[in-house]
Amino acid sequence: MSAGMTSEELRDFYRRYVELANNRDFDRMDEFAHDEVIMNGTPVARDDMVAEFRRHTDAVPDLSWEIQELLVDGGRVAARLIDTGTPERKWNGLAPTGATVSFAETAFYEVQDGRFKYMWYMMDVDSLRAQLSN
């Protein structure tokens, strides 16, 4: 399952994807994701994926993603990120406290035909809960 890109092109592709998220340029998501992606094992329309991004950034307007590690193997990408922001609305079932939170996210992707087809991600929700309960 080749992405049709070199390892360096895939790294650049992923960096541009994170930049898109940090800049809230979600209208360009068609450059990065197929019309339907398999997210954590479930088929999801790209529009629904964008809506989920917007839900996160509406609740945490300053939410940002920072790549800590980025690995590429064939058409697969693995990333360890640090997510940081100050929730202003209820988010992931947690009430805002005014605290700025910072937590780890691990994400895996498979790129087909130059766009994401499969995506898996895990957030350190326990750390998020602990930071919002202090």
Side-chain angles (χ1 to χ4, degrees):
M1 296 187 190
S2 171
M5 296 184 218
T6 67
S7 292
E8 194 52 44
E9 287 170 332
L10 266 175
R11 282 184 185 86
D12 182 59
F13 174 79
Y14 188 75
R15 288 181 189 111
R16 286 186 288 118
Y17 168 71
V18 171
E19 183 180 336
L20 168 145
N22 284 330
N23 291 333
R24 312 302 191 252
D25 198 5
F26 302 124
D27 293 335
R28 291 184 39 230
M29 191 62 74
D30 63 333
E31 297 173 29
F32 296 90
H34 284 273
D35 293 345
E36 179 182 88
V37 296
I38 309 303
M39 187 173 288
N40 291 334
T42 302
V44 175
R46 181 179 53 235
D47 289 345
D48 293 334
M49 187 176 102
V50 168
E52 184 70 6
F53 264 111
R54 291 188 194 285
R55 185 184 70 78
H56 288 300
T57 58
D58 286 347
V60 188
D62 65 343
L63 184 62
S64 66
W65 294 264
E66 181 184 332
I67 300 169
Q68 299 293 301
E69 287 186 78
L70 183 58
L71 304 170
V72 172
D73 181 26
R76 294 186 173 99
V77 176
R80 184 175 59 83
L81 305 109
I82 297 296
D83 303 353
T84 304
T86 308
E88 293 183 0
R89 292 176 201 61
K90 190 173 183 178
W91 183 49
N92 291 319
L94 302 166
T97 64
T100 297
V101 297
S102 184
F103 56 93
E105 178 180 349
T106 305
F108 302 91
Y109 307 83
E110 189 170 312
V111 176
Q112 292 181 1
D113 301 320
R115 295 185 288 169
F116 297 127
K117 182 61 183 174
Y118 296 90
M119 307 171 86
W120 301 265
Y121 65 93
M122 296 176 288
M123 293 174 24
D124 185 354
V125 177
D126 289 339
S127 174
L128 179 61
R129 275 192 200 105
Q131 293 173 65
L132 289 176
S133 65
N134 291 335

